[in-house]
Amino acid sequence: MNQEQTILNPNIGWLLLVIFGLAWVALGKYWGRKADSLDGFMLAGRNVGMALGAATAMATWVTSNTIMLAPQFALKMGIWGMLAYSTASFGLFLFAPMSSRIRELMPRGYTSGDFIRLRYGKTAWVIFLFISFVYSMAWLVSMGMAGGIVLEALAGIHYIYGMSMILLVCVLYTLVGGLYAVIGTDFIQSLVILLGILFIGTVALFNIDLPTAHEQVATHQPALLNVAMPVALLSLFNNMFFGIGEVFHNNVWWSRAFAMRRKVVSKSFFLAGIFWLPIPVAAGFVALFSNSLGINITDIDMAGPLVAGKLLGSFGAMVLFIVVFCSLGSSIDSLLAATSDLLTEDVYRKMINPSASDARTRKMATYIIIGLGVATWLICYGRLGNLIVVLFLSGPLVSSAIWPVLGGLYWKKQNRTGAIVAMVFGSVVGLYCYWEIGWFVASLISTLISMCCMLVSNLVSTRTYDWSELAEHKS
Amino acid sequence: MRYLVALAGFFILLAVPFGMLAAAFVIPEENSVVSEDGTLQLEWEGSGADASFRIERSKNPEFLDPSLVYQGPDTATFVSGLTEGDHYFRLREGDRTWSDGALRVRVEFVSQNLVTVLLCAGTLCLTLLVFFLVQGHLGKPGGGSLPAQSSKPGKTIDSTVA
């Protein structure tokens, strides 16, 4: 294959990488001095306010996928593709009221796994943990890969080195600071991301002659402007339910719900959704008109960086580099922390060593963070397939958990059998449809199957659940 | 005599400049492919460095109305936005001949019936999701309710595990 010269000088790329890497680790160490207790390490003392809460939720949801996949969506599916990616914000909007419900029901809860175990029992819990772990690893790997690809595309930093540096920095400051470090750095990263995207979007608008660009797309890529494009329409719902499933089930969001002050938790998630929504639209918009800018997209995975690099020149490439690095950091640290919490609390403390002290548990959490970092690095080293394939394979799994979570929080009559069948059947059918029809229907079908199972089981169930069982304190 | 003819043919072949051979698509490998979303990754090989390539697309195999897809030194491009039907692609390096045989890409979108069914089902699912969420959040009958104050000493969380 071809390749254009890198837009950013590799030395500048390395310099930025080292400067920001050291800054995040130092900040993580500074904020992490409060993380001496288990609650401090895992849940930032359960006292996070609205500004930090909204910032961390928004920053966590702005991943490298937002900046890399949103352009892909737009380039493949046009207008609807661009909007399809932004429907992932629905997950944050819908989780907003749920988060206050979670805090009411489980004031001393730690993980989403806690909820599923108490609500539905051990079998559902194991299935849920499997789904969550597979998805978390898929997300981690996709971001590790994306980081390596972007740094290589922008600054010529070899894929292995770029990917390794990003993972190393994130593991380090998550290790030293826990959720305090994660949320603190997320706040700064969210500001950088918002300002950076604003800059890139503004430059793009000044550089693109919209009528000409529209005419070019209409002539050479007419399907991209087709509002009835089937794949695009289906991906709208598919991505929406994938996003809802990601947020509803994953401990990244539940840990934030537990970490925030009860009075602000709902507003924080809603605000985060508002701030996040325009970002994939801006990223996709730029890619949609790449042809009119004379940019040849050689590899769909590199659409975003290629367009931004060409459009913005060296300074703009620096801005993009920093934005991508921040978006990677804000998501990888959250995933490391939340997945470590889940494995520590649900697997280590509940299954392996129930009598473990808080200090012992905290230590185990740090080992798990390191283990997750190493595992992610090993998988990223192999650099498997297309980014969309890596991540969307987990779509049917997480979508199958939407209705069990919703029903578990709000329906007294919802029983465990229904939840188990919903997750298993939804996942299996969704995966089957992924291979037989396409990725653009898998999450949607999984959600539908899961919904039917849950509605039926709720209708036929006669027993009711005692909500107070969720609110019990640990001994 | 036969050997002399064969030897002559061998030297003639060697004399043919390598650069007179047409550039060719390497991805996709087949001459005819199907796309369900109107996209296509194209990669090709030419004679060597400093080559300039031209790719054209047409709705008919005779290329009566070709449109330019790409022109430049790159050896790959991502094509998107193709409408349903057959599209033909051909490749040329510099001023040399066009690639042997056009690449045919048939774009077949997902069945409209399937799309309609799934869209309706998706709308219903989303509507119900929002409905039950709002219902539960507002604490309407049938939805959830806050846990009652427990007068018993706190049980351990593990005691509720089946």
Side-chain angles (χ1 to χ4, degrees):
Chain A
M1 210 191 292
N2 59 329
Q3 237 351 308
E4 298 123 357
Q5 278 179 289
T6 56
I7 308 298
L8 197 59
N9 186 301
N11 292 331
I12 296 179
W14 271 111
L15 192 64
L16 289 171
L17 208 54
V18 168
I19 289 173
F20 278 90
L22 287 173
W24 297 147
V25 174
L27 285 169
K29 184 93 177 119
Y30 173 70
W31 280 313
R33 68 194 193 284
K34 288 194 258 187
D36 43 6
S37 69
L38 188 65
D39 260 21
F41 188 78
M42 288 173 81
L43 297 174
R46 300 181 191 268
N47 196 32
V48 176
M50 191 157 82
L52 281 176
T56 184
M58 188 223 89
T60 300
W61 211 210
V62 179
T63 68
S64 56
N65 296 329
T66 313
I67 296 170
M68 301 277 284
L69 286 184
Q72 286 193 37
F73 268 55
L75 208 51
K76 282 187 159 192
M77 294 174 287
I79 301 284
W80 278 131
M82 195 171 75
L83 295 173
Y85 206 90
S86 68
T87 59
S89 60
F90 281 44
L92 293 175
F93 291 136
L94 296 178
F95 193 70
M98 275 177 61
S99 59
S100 64
R101 175 74 174 164
I102 290 165
R103 290 304 303 271
E104 284 166 4
L105 292 176
M106 301 177 69
R108 300 299 302 172
Y110 272 89
T111 67
S112 52
D114 275 345
F115 167 73
I116 294 293
R117 177 176 47 78
L118 292 167
R119 186 64 181 84
Y120 292 130
K122 223 169 197 172
T123 308
W125 180 40
V126 169
I127 295 168
F128 181 83
L129 285 180
F130 173 77
I131 288 174
S132 200
F133 184 69
V134 166
Y135 163 76
S136 297
M137 285 308 297
W139 190 3
L140 265 172
V141 167
S142 74
M143 282 192 295
M145 278 174 57
I149 290 170
V150 169
L151 298 187
E152 190 170 47
L154 281 178
I157 295 172
H158 192 275
Y159 168 80
I160 299 296
Y161 299 145
M163 177 267 293
S164 304
M165 269 294 285
I166 285 168
L167 285 175
L168 179 67
V169 166
C170 292
V171 166
L172 277 176
Y173 75 76
T174 309
L175 263 181
V176 300
L179 200 63
Y180 274 116
V182 168
I183 288 178
T185 52
D186 277 358
F187 181 73
I188 298 175
Q189 287 157 349
S190 66
L191 292 176
V192 170
I193 289 165
L194 279 172
L195 289 172
I197 294 293
L198 190 67
F199 170 75
I200 292 168
T202 306
V203 171
L205 268 177
F206 275 110
N207 275 272
I208 295 174
D209 176 31
L210 281 176
T212 309
H214 180 271
E215 194 190 322
Q216 271 224 304
V217 173
T219 306
H220 298 288
Q221 300 166 293
L224 294 187
L225 300 177
N226 179 8
V227 293
M229 190 181 179
V231 168
L233 286 172
L234 290 174
S235 73
L236 200 73
F237 274 107
N238 194 72
N239 210 57
M240 186 193 306
F241 287 120
F242 186 17
I244 293 173
E246 290 180 270
V247 177
F248 274 27
H249 98 280
N250 198 267
N251 199 50
V252 165
W253 312 102
W254 283 67
S255 61
R256 272 153 182 75
F258 290 129
M260 293 184 211
R261 273 181 237 139
R262 209 158 129 174
K263 284 192 175 153
V264 306
V265 64
S266 194
K267 286 179 212 152
S268 299
F269 277 103
F270 188 79
L271 265 179
I274 296 283
F275 283 122
W276 187 89
L277 194 147
I279 293 175
V281 175
F285 169 80
V286 175
L288 190 59
F289 298 112
S290 56
N291 260 349
S292 68
L293 297 166
I295 299 169
N296 178 35
I297 305 296
T298 54
D299 180 347
I300 189 66
D301 275 350
M302 300 224 230
L306 276 175
V307 171
K310 277 278 184 158
L311 200 60
L312 306 170
S314 294
F315 178 72
M318 249 173 59
V319 171
L320 181 70
F321 188 98
I322 295 166
V323 167
V324 169
F325 190 49
C326 288
S327 66
L328 285 166
S330 64
S331 307
I332 293 176
D333 62 7
S334 302
L335 259 180
L336 285 171
T339 310
S340 151
D341 289 353
L342 196 67
L343 291 174
T344 306
E345 192 56 30
D346 287 65
V347 178
Y348 174 71
R349 204 159 168 174
K350 293 290 184 298
M351 294 184 189
I352 298 173
N353 189 3
S355 58
S357 64
D358 279 3
R360 177 76 191 144
T361 306
R362 190 191 182 298
K363 203 166 206 168
M364 188 52 63
T366 59
Y367 294 149
I368 290 174
I369 289 172
I370 295 170
L372 284 170
V374 170
T376 305
W377 185 87
L378 285 170
I379 300 171
C380 286
Y381 189 88
R383 196 169 177 177
L384 28 117
N386 183 293
L387 283 176
I388 288 184
V389 171
V390 170
L391 191 60
F392 277 76
L393 204 53
S394 62
L397 299 181
V398 306
S399 301
S400 72
I402 294 173
W403 285 91
V405 168
L406 178 83
L409 285 170
Y410 292 107
W411 299 344
K412 272 188 152 183
K413 283 173 60 187
Q414 187 54 55
N415 60 43
R416 61 190 55 182
T417 307
I420 291 167
V421 170
M423 284 191 285
V424 172
F425 202 31
S427 298
V428 167
V429 175
L431 282 170
Y432 174 81
C433 291
Y434 182 98
W435 296 116
E436 285 302 311
I437 305 174
W439 65 269
F440 44 86
V441 299
S443 297
L444 170 57
I445 290 176
S446 172
T447 311
L448 290 169
I449 298 291
S450 177
M451 177 187 75
C452 295
C453 296
M454 290 291 290
L455 290 175
V456 166
S457 71
N458 194 49
L459 277 170
V460 304
S461 172
T462 51
R463 295 172 64 184
T464 58
Y465 183 75
D466 181 3
W467 297 118
S468 64
E469 290 186 13
L470 289 172
E472 298 294 354
H473 295 277
K474 289 193 220 176
S475 62
Chain B
M1 185 64 183
R2 277 180 297 170
Y3 298 116
L4 281 173
V5 170
L7 203 58
F10 176 69
F11 280 113
I12 287 169
L13 271 175
L14 277 184
V16 170
F18 179 75
M20 283 183 67
L21 296 173
F25 288 118
V26 294
I27 288 174
E29 291 171 355
E30 305 83 9
N31 274 345
S32 180
V33 294
V34 176
S35 169
E36 60 190 5
D37 58 3
T39 68
L40 176 72
Q41 174 73 29
L42 287 175
E43 292 180 27
W44 55 90
E45 279 177 349
S47 61
D50 299 327
S52 175
F53 300 95
R54 183 181 175 91
I55 296 177
E56 290 182 350
R57 176 175 65 91
S58 175
K59 291 282 272 179
N60 55 71
E62 295 82 25
F63 284 87
L64 299 172
D65 56 346
S67 60
L68 179 65
V69 173
Y70 170 74
Q71 183 156 331
D74 296 343
T75 55
T77 192
F78 183 79
V79 179
S80 65
L82 297 175
T83 52
E84 269 193 305
D86 287 344
H87 300 264
Y88 297 88
F89 292 84
R90 64 181 181 183
L91 162 71
R92 186 168 74 180
E93 180 179 357
D95 293 325
R96 299 189 178 111
T97 56
W98 290 103
S99 49
D100 280 337
L103 167 66
R104 189 182 85 162
V105 178
R106 171 160 290 172
V107 177
E108 288 177 352
F109 290 150
V110 177
S111 141
Q112 204 58 43
N113 290 339
L114 178 66
V115 172
T116 306
V117 166
L118 287 177
L119 284 183
C120 291
T123 306
L124 175 67
C125 186
L126 179 65
T127 306
L128 287 175
L129 194 67
V130 173
F131 171 74
F132 285 122
L133 193 57
V134 171
Q135 185 192 52
H137 188 63
L138 296 176
K140 291 278 189 279
S145 55
L146 291 175
Q149 293 294 320
S150 173
S151 58
K152 292 179 285 187
K155 290 188 290 184
T156 61
I157 291 173
D158 290 329
S159 67
T160 59
V161 173

